[in-house]
Amino acid sequence: MIITKKSALKNKVIEKLKRQKTYFSYEDIKVLLEKEKIEIAPSSLKSYVHKLTQNKTIFDAGKGWYTSLRKNFLLNKKPVQKIIRKIKKELPLLEFSCWSTEQLNSFTHHLLTKFIIFVYTDADYIRNTAEILRENNYNVYENPTKKEIEKFFKIIKKTVVLLPAINKQPQGNDNYAPIEKILIDFLMENRHYKIMEQSEAESVVNNAINSGRINISRFFSYIKERKFAIPKSINYLRLNNIGGNG
């Protein structure tokens, strides 16, 4: 039986990476090819990898990233449908992004019973948005300081935190924050609002990204934008030895 470079790539490299990692980069492929002493010209390698995505051996996970996860991550939008409709009705031109901790409840070890809705928008429009939401019986906090959180913050029914939009944050459709934004925001805001133990929050993120395919390239770009601790995040997300476009 003749073993071609293409079959060697699939059987010795791709299948090994799929066993080791949920997500892997183009750089990971090149590194493992070198370790396995398989020489493939760069142009041929790109062509081979493209064909592997076409025949669904692997799946595109963003610029320079791949995964074995066949299904896209399915985001539960129901928890924020009402508030998004309300804001859009009253402020139709407002740019904002919204998510709720309830959207992550299926990935927690202990189910949450109280939820926080986070709305990110232009800092100049936080006050106007807060007024509209209070008129509709939401429990609203306007970009609270650490001291204000420690002294006044309570999670009750319809609790909303309004925060300034993050520069270069991932954009979703119809003001629903995409999962790549939600997961990193969740880890960051958990430090301030004590939603759960940080170790459990990290487990929630790990469960989520392994449940369905996300754009891992966009995920890592947002980590950098929010200045999150990348080495630690790579460690607990089990994306060990990631190189390349992270």
Side-chain angles (χ1 to χ4, degrees):
M1 179 179 178
I2 299 174
I3 299 177
T4 65
K5 290 184 178 180
K6 184 178 178 180
S7 63
L9 168 67
K10 179 180 181 296
N11 298 325
K12 288 191 175 183
V13 176
I14 298 299
E15 293 303 323
K16 186 172 184 178
L17 286 171
K18 286 167 64 176
R19 290 193 298 270
Q20 291 178 342
K21 307 175 182 183
T22 305
Y23 297 85
F24 53 92
S25 71
Y26 189 76
E27 290 301 313
D28 288 324
I29 296 172
K30 289 167 62 177
V31 168
L32 192 51
L33 279 171
E34 186 174 347
K35 287 183 179 179
E36 294 288 342
K37 297 183 174 11
I38 303 171
E39 295 184 8
I40 300 178
S43 59
S44 297
L45 179 58
K46 288 182 180 180
S47 176
Y48 292 162
V49 171
H50 179 65
K51 288 179 181 177
L52 289 173
T53 60
Q54 284 186 318
N55 64 27
K56 302 187 185 307
T57 299
I58 56 176
F59 300 88
D60 183 16
K63 186 179 179 181
W65 288 90
Y66 305 94
T67 180
S68 59
L69 294 174
R70 179 177 294 270
K71 294 182 179 180
N72 284 317
F73 183 91
L74 183 61
L75 182 63
N76 175 18
K77 295 182 177 181
K78 188 175 180 179
V80 290
Q81 284 176 342
K82 287 183 180 180
I83 190 171
I84 287 177
R85 283 201 298 263
K86 175 55 64 176
I87 296 173
K88 290 175 73 172
K89 180 180 178 181
E90 301 295 335
L91 297 167
L93 299 180
L94 183 70
E95 293 185 3
F96 69 96
S97 183
C98 180
W99 65 273
S100 168
T101 53
E102 187 175 358
Q103 292 175 276
L104 299 175
N105 218 10
S106 61
F107 306 107
T108 62
H109 179 64
H110 301 98
L111 288 179
L112 298 171
T113 56
K114 297 179 180 179
F115 311 108
I116 308 173
I117 296 172
F118 290 94
V119 178
Y120 300 78
T121 190
D122 189 305
D124 292 337
Y125 292 96
I126 285 178
R127 177 59 58 84
N128 289 349
T129 308
E131 290 175 356
I132 288 169
L133 292 176
R134 288 193 181 104
E135 289 172 1
N136 287 273
N137 301 315
Y138 284 92
N139 173 41
V140 183
Y141 295 89
E142 301 175 45
N143 194 21
T145 64
K146 182 178 180 180
K147 287 185 179 180
E148 288 172 338
I149 294 170
E150 292 173 351
K151 191 172 183 178
F152 303 112
F153 185 76
K154 290 183 179 179
I155 305 177
I156 61 176
K157 189 176 180 180
K158 299 175 74 173
T159 293
V160 180
V161 176
L162 291 166
L163 297 169
I166 309 298
N167 187 38
K168 297 180 182 179
Q169 63 185 17
Q171 298 298 322
N173 296 322
D174 297 323
N175 305 107
Y176 292 95
I179 188 59
E180 295 85 4
K181 172 176 168 60
I182 292 174
L183 295 178
I184 300 305
D185 285 347
F186 170 64
L187 290 175
M188 297 293 288
E189 309 308 351
N190 187 60
R191 296 174 172 181
H192 303 299
Y193 299 95
K194 312 300 181 187
I195 302 162
M196 61 182 66
E197 292 293 328
Q198 191 69 10
S199 59
E200 185 173 355
E202 295 168 358
S203 179
V204 167
V205 174
N206 187 51
N207 292 340
I209 69 169
N210 284 284
S211 72
R213 176 162 34 107
I214 74 169
N215 187 315
I216 205 73
S217 174
R218 183 161 56 171
F219 176 85
F220 278 112
S221 293
Y222 193 49
I223 284 179
K224 289 183 178 179
E225 190 63 36
R226 294 222 63 176
K227 298 179 173 59
F228 195 69
I230 296 177
K232 182 181 179 184
S233 69
I234 290 174
N235 180 52
Y236 71 66
L237 291 172
R238 301 172 192 171
L239 302 169
N240 51 315
N241 301 320
I242 282 180
N245 302 295

